[in-house]
């Protein structure tokens, strides 16, 4: 199948706008939504095209501004799928809008793993190695060689990824609805998304206590080793669940939670617990 052959001329213009706007995805990053603001900005041409009233547009923008983080070259592919789902949502009264974020969340983790390994772990090293050979010989084109080698595949994947995502989304989402499989897809995507977010917890949250008990100058108990034997990552999980509970209660803002965690970390450090 030729990429983009089932997309109208007007929609192709929208996908091209998505490509250019996707370059701002990490222009504004925060710990709440990461690249969510840039994602929503990239989706705005579709939102303005598909939705007629301000309420629907506001809901779509809020939906697409939620947490999003993946390897940049693959971001436009997910944006294309999300755009095709927004189109379906604008046309179908029975469309489950929550499935849009479910699909986004389920895709961003696996694609981030592939993209980081491919672009940052492999291709960047290859491009740098070739450029270093130019630099050793005193060739001033060395940095240009690196930038071209690294970025050409990046931009090609980002450009055609948007068309591929939008094309696949438009083609298969309609079939899924016709077969009555949308609820299964949404459930599966939600489960996979929760698994990916849960896996990120142990990777992003680090807590190791230095507490030990000694007797007659000999260490008899290492608290961290006991915790690791009982349940590796237990404290990070508890911190995550407590943070989620506080945020979900609406009693503590994100900034407030960050300040609380910083204060607790400083106090625990001063007490010699961590």
């Amino acid at each position: 199948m030729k990429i983009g052959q089932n997309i109208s001329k007007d929609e192709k213009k929208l996908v091209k706008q998505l490509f250019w706007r996707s370059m701002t995805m990490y222009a504004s990053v925060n710990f709440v939504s990461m690249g969510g603001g840039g994602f929503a900005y990239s989706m705005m041409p579709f939102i303005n095209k598909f939705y007629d009233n301000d309420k629907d547009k506001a809901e779509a923008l809020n939906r697409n501004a939620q947490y999003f983080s993946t390897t940049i070259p693959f971001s436009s592919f997910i944006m294309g799928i999300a755009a095709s789902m927004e189109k379906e949502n604008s046309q179908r009264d029975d469309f489950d809008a929550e499935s849009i974020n479910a699909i986004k969340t389920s895709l961003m983790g696996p694609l981030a793993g592939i993209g980081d390994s491919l672009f940052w772990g492999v291709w960047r090293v290859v491009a740098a190695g070739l450029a270093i050979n130019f630099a050793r010989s005193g060739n001033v084109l060395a940095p240009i060689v690196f930038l071209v080698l690294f970025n050409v595949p990046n931009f090609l994947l980002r450009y055609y990824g948007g068309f591929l995502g939008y094309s696949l989304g438009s083609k298969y989402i309609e079939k899924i609805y016709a077969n009555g499989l949308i609820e299964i897809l949404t459930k599966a995507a939600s489960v996979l998304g929760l698994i990916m977010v849960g896996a990120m917890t142990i990777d992003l949250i680090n807590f190791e206590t230095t507490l030990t008990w000694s007797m007659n100058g000999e260490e008899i108990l290492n608290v961290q080793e006991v915790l690791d034997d009982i349940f590796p990552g237990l404290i990070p999980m508890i911190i995550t669940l407590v943070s989620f509970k506080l945020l979900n209660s609406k009693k503590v803002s994100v900034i407030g939670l960050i300040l609380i965690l910083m204060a607790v970390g400083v106090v625990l450090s001063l007490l010699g617990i961590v």
Side-chain angles (χ1 to χ4, degrees), residues 13-28 35-48 61 72 75-76 79 155 158-159:
K13 291 181 180 179
L14 294 177
V15 176
K16 290 178 181 178
Q17 291 180 46
L18 179 148
F19 163 71
W20 292 111
R21 284 172 173 249
S22 69
M23 297 182 192
T24 67
M25 194 178 79
Y26 289 127
S28 176
F39 192 100
Y41 177 71
S42 302
M43 295 290 293
M44 284 179 66
F46 293 95
I47 292 172
N48 291 329
L61 280 174
I72 293 177
S75 62
S76 61
M79 291 175 183
F155 282 101
R158 193 187 305 186
Y159 180 81

Side-chain angles (χ1 to χ4, degrees), residues 18-269:
L18 179 148
F19 163 71
W20 292 111
R21 284 172 173 249
S22 69
M23 297 182 192
T24 67
M25 194 178 79
Y26 289 127
S28 176
V29 177
N30 60 72
F31 291 107
V32 180
S33 61
M34 290 300 285
F39 192 100
Y41 177 71
S42 302
M43 295 290 293
M44 284 179 66
F46 293 95
I47 292 172
N48 291 329
K49 174 72 173 180
F50 297 147
Y51 297 102
D52 296 325
N53 62 74
D54 292 339
K55 180 183 178 181
D56 290 339
K57 289 181 180 180
E59 290 178 352
L61 280 174
N62 181 63
R63 182 166 53 245
N64 286 282
Q66 301 301 312
Y67 182 91
F68 182 80
S69 180
T70 195
T71 306
I72 293 177
F74 288 102
S75 62
S76 61
F77 174 74
I78 302 177
M79 291 175 183
I81 293 178
S84 67
M85 296 182 75
E86 291 291 353
K87 178 182 178 181
E88 290 293 322
N89 185 52
S90 68
Q91 297 174 344
R92 292 176 176 270
D93 294 332
D94 61 339
F95 192 91
D96 183 6
E98 294 183 1
S99 65
I100 299 175
N101 273 336
I103 295 296
K104 284 169 50 182
T105 305
S106 66
L107 288 176
M108 69 183 186
L111 289 181
I114 296 172
D116 287 346
S117 299
L118 181 62
F119 279 90
W120 293 107
V122 177
W123 185 240
R124 181 183 59 159
V125 176
V126 172
L130 294 173
I132 287 173
N133 288 329
F134 280 85
R136 284 177 176 173
S137 62
N139 195 321
V140 297
L141 295 177
I144 298 177
V145 170
F146 171 75
L147 291 174
V148 170
L149 286 176
F150 181 75
N151 284 293
V152 167
N154 181 333
F155 282 101
L156 286 176
L157 185 58
R158 193 187 305 186
Y159 180 81
Y160 288 106
F163 284 97
L164 179 61
Y166 191 80
S167 179
L168 290 177
S170 300
K171 180 179 179 181
Y172 290 107
I173 289 174
E174 185 174 349
K175 288 185 178 180
I176 290 171
Y177 254 94
N179 295 329
L181 298 175
I182 188 63
E183 292 185 4
I184 297 175
L185 175 64
T186 302
K187 184 67 174 180
S190 299
V191 171
L192 180 57
L194 289 173
I195 291 173
M196 296 306 303
V197 172
M200 291 170 61
T201 300
I202 192 66
D203 195 39
L204 297 177
I205 300 177
N206 182 35
F207 183 97
E208 293 187 3
T209 180
T210 57
L211 281 178
T212 59
W213 271 272
S214 302
M215 183 177 292
N216 298 325
E218 182 178 351
E219 182 181 299
I220 61 173
L221 178 64
N222 185 302
V223 176
Q224 186 61 50
E225 290 181 358
V226 173
L227 290 173
D228 290 340
D229 289 338
I230 297 174
F231 193 142
L234 176 62
I235 303 301
M237 184 187 72
I238 293 175
I239 293 173
T240 302
L241 293 176
V242 171
S243 299
F244 176 78
K245 180 67 176 179
L246 291 173
L247 290 174
N248 198 45
S249 67
K250 308 294 183 180
K251 296 179 180 179
V252 180
S253 66
V254 174
I255 301 301
L257 179 61
I258 292 174
L259 293 175
I260 291 173
L261 292 175
M262 290 177 60
V264 171
V266 171
V267 171
L268 293 178
S269 179

